[in-house]
């Protein structure tokens, strides 16, 4: 998986989000050991202190825990992961609604459109079969 | 812990003032971008830190000492122009560095040459500009120094090698060492920096961490630089 650092927002926040996503999507499994700060920093092409800051934030969120001598691990608590997953879904949906409102759609219209697009996708799937 | 400190540092060449009353402290364990337009005093600052120039007024200290034999042993400096002879082969220069610097790691240097497909028996003068730059950076980063001073380290190399070089920089400095990189190619190095120092017309106009700038201005350092130094 590639790291994407875009230009404007704090780098450590972008790292937090991307590690979050890796945990939620299963790239990192619960209980997995994370690489060392230096290795992760090199992989992402960022400064080790920045990576350190991102990992500290993930620890604060309980997504990652540190064992004093052996390094950092992904949480084994599925509940924590689910919570983060939900929060992320809300954030995405809010952003989506904001954009749709900018385009001038009301809530009902948006929901109808979603259904329509979904059906479209399904029928596409049928033609493939 | 402070590795480099400048107090009222001023340098003038005749009537021309290159640096004016600079006060700055660089802690250990950081990568700092020294950023400013052409002729702002970046190279002068680095030369003062190496002892190649002496201050007109004020002082600069490395780990508490005025630049001299003692500080040179722990400072690894990449000059803006090469001081190596064209007839030398990469392997000659490695031997040269090994003689000169106690903290030089030959194996590290040889491995990096190999990774960048540079033939150690090639002479410097037969190499392209970018390859020459790579060789010098490899030598400089193969020392286990306390302070690295890199004057325009990525100017002449292609983008793919740039990534390799930046990785070389972030993986090769010790935890308590600091790296000062002077450049105007900000977008390329911004991700690896902790802190930035903006310098303009011989004066420091801003010091900040990279993420503070992004948080405060909603802009990358590169974006802010373009705005602040707009011509």
């Amino acid at each position: 998986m590639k790291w994407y650092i875009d230009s404007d927002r704090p780098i450590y926040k972008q790292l937090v989000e991307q590690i979050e996503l890796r945990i939620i999507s299963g790239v990192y499994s619960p209980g997995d050991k994370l690489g060392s700060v230096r290795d992760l920093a090199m992989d992402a092409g960022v400064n080790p202190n920045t990576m350190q800051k991102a990992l500290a934030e993930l620890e604060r969120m309980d997504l990652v825990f540190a064992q004093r001598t052996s390094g950092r691990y992904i949480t084994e608590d599925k509940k924590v992961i689910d919570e983060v997953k939900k929060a992320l879904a809300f954030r995405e949906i809010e952003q989506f609604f904001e954009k749709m409102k900018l385009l001038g759609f009301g809530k009902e219209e948006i929901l109808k459109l979603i259904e329509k697009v979904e059906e479209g996708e399904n029928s596409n799937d049928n033609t493939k079969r | 812990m402070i590795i480099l400190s400048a107090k009222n540092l001023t340098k003038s060449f005749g009537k021309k003032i290159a640096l004016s009353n600079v006060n700055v402290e660089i802690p250990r364990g950081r990568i700092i971008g020294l950023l400013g337009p052409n002729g702002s005093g970046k190279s002068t600052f680095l030369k003062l830190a190496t002892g190649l120039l002496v201050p007109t007024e004020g002082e600069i200290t490395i780990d508490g000492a005025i630049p001299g034999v003692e500080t040179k042993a722990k400072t690894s400096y990449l000059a803006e122009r090469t001081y190596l002879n064209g007839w030398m082969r990469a392997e000659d220069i490695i031997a040269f560095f090994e003689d000169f610097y106690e903290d030089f790691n030959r194996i590290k240097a040889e491995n990096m040459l190999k990774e960048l497909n540079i033939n150690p028996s090639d002479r410097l003068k037969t190499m392209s500009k970018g390859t020459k730059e790579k060789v010098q950076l490899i030598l400089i980063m193969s020392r286990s120094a306390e302070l690295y001073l890199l004057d325009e380290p990525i100017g002449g190399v292609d983008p793919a090698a740039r990534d390799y070089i930046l990785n070389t920089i972030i993986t090769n400095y010790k935890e308590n060492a600091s790296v000062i990189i002077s450049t105007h190619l900000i977008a390329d190095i911004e991700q690896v920096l902790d802190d930035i120092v903006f310098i303009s017309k011989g004066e420091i106009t801003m010091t900040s961490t990279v993420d503070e700038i992004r948080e405060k201005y909603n802009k990358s350092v590169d974006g802010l630089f373009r705005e602040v130094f707009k011509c």
Side-chain angles (χ1 to χ4, degrees), chain B residues 122-192:
Chain B
D122 280 355
R123 292 180 196 277
L124 216 51
K125 67 176 172 201
T126 67
M127 295 175 186
S128 72
K129 181 170 182 256
T131 306
K132 260 184 238 167
E133 282 192 21
K134 285 178 208 165
V135 169
Q136 288 174 77
L137 192 81
I138 285 171
L139 293 162
I140 269 37
M141 294 312 296
S142 296
R143 286 185 57 197
S144 172
E146 314 266 303
L147 179 65
Y148 297 88
L149 304 168
L150 311 178
D151 201 349
E152 289 289 352
I154 52 171
V157 302
D158 61 82
R162 233 168 246 186
D163 287 346
Y164 177 84
I165 283 172
L166 290 176
N167 266 331
T168 305
I169 294 172
I170 42 183
T171 47
N172 277 293
Y173 75 103
K174 290 183 294 187
E175 236 161 74
N176 64 344
S178 279
V179 186
I180 303 180
I181 306 175
S182 105
T183 187
H184 37 244
L185 293 170
I186 304 171
D188 284 331
I189 65 155
E190 158 154 22
Q191 293 186 26
V192 310

Side-chain angles (χ1 to χ4, degrees), chain A residues 7 9 11 13 38 47 49, chain B residues 29 173 192 194 211 214-215:
Chain A
S7 57
R9 291 173 318 120
I11 295 164
K13 278 192 185 158
R38 283 221 166 195
N47 181 296
N49 291 322
Chain B
Y173 75 103
V192 310
D194 286 299
D211 273 350
R214 286 166 173 254
E215 205 118 37

Side-chain angles (χ1 to χ4, degrees), chain B residues 20-38:
Chain B
S20 165
N21 209 20
V22 165
N23 288 290
V24 70
E25 285 193 330
I26 308 284
R28 285 178 178 273
R30 314 286 285 180
I31 304 182
I32 297 104
L34 183 61
L35 314 174
N38 302 115

Side-chain angles (χ1 to χ4, degrees), chain B residues 60-180:
Chain B
I60 185 163
T61 53
I62 312 296
D63 207 9
I66 303 282
V69 176
E70 197 188 311
T71 69
K72 285 178 191 179
K74 46 188 160 191
T75 305
S76 195
Y77 169 56
L78 179 73
E80 57 179 337
R81 252 177 270 142
T82 182
Y83 48 85
L84 297 163
N85 290 312
W87 56 264
M88 289 178 107
R89 302 172 196 274
E91 59 199 6
D92 296 334
I93 312 171
I94 287 180
F96 194 56
F97 264 62
E98 205 173 25
D99 284 346
F100 252 97
Y101 301 111
E102 247 175 72
D103 60 2
F104 184 75
N105 184 335
R106 166 186 279 269
I107 294 161
K108 224 182 207 178
E110 286 172 345
N111 283 341
M112 285 195 266
L113 284 179
K114 205 184 283 170
E115 277 171 353
L116 286 173
N117 295 316
I118 298 170
N119 186 348
S121 56
D122 280 355
R123 292 180 196 277
L124 216 51
K125 67 176 172 201
T126 67
M127 295 175 186
S128 72
K129 181 170 182 256
T131 306
K132 260 184 238 167
E133 282 192 21
K134 285 178 208 165
V135 169
Q136 288 174 77
L137 192 81
I138 285 171
L139 293 162
I140 269 37
M141 294 312 296
S142 296
R143 286 185 57 197
S144 172
E146 314 266 303
L147 179 65
Y148 297 88
L149 304 168
L150 311 178
D151 201 349
E152 289 289 352
I154 52 171
V157 302
D158 61 82
R162 233 168 246 186
D163 287 346
Y164 177 84
I165 283 172
L166 290 176
N167 266 331
T168 305
I169 294 172
I170 42 183
T171 47
N172 277 293
Y173 75 103
K174 290 183 294 187
E175 236 161 74
N176 64 344
S178 279
V179 186
I180 303 180

Side-chain angles (χ1 to χ4, degrees), chain A residues 100-115:
Chain A
M100 291 302 280
K101 272 178 201 150
L102 273 178
L103 293 178
F105 290 101
K107 190 182 149 205
E108 296 291 315
E109 278 173 299
I110 297 172
L111 292 177
K112 246 183 239 160
L113 267 176
I114 291 176
E115 268 170 28

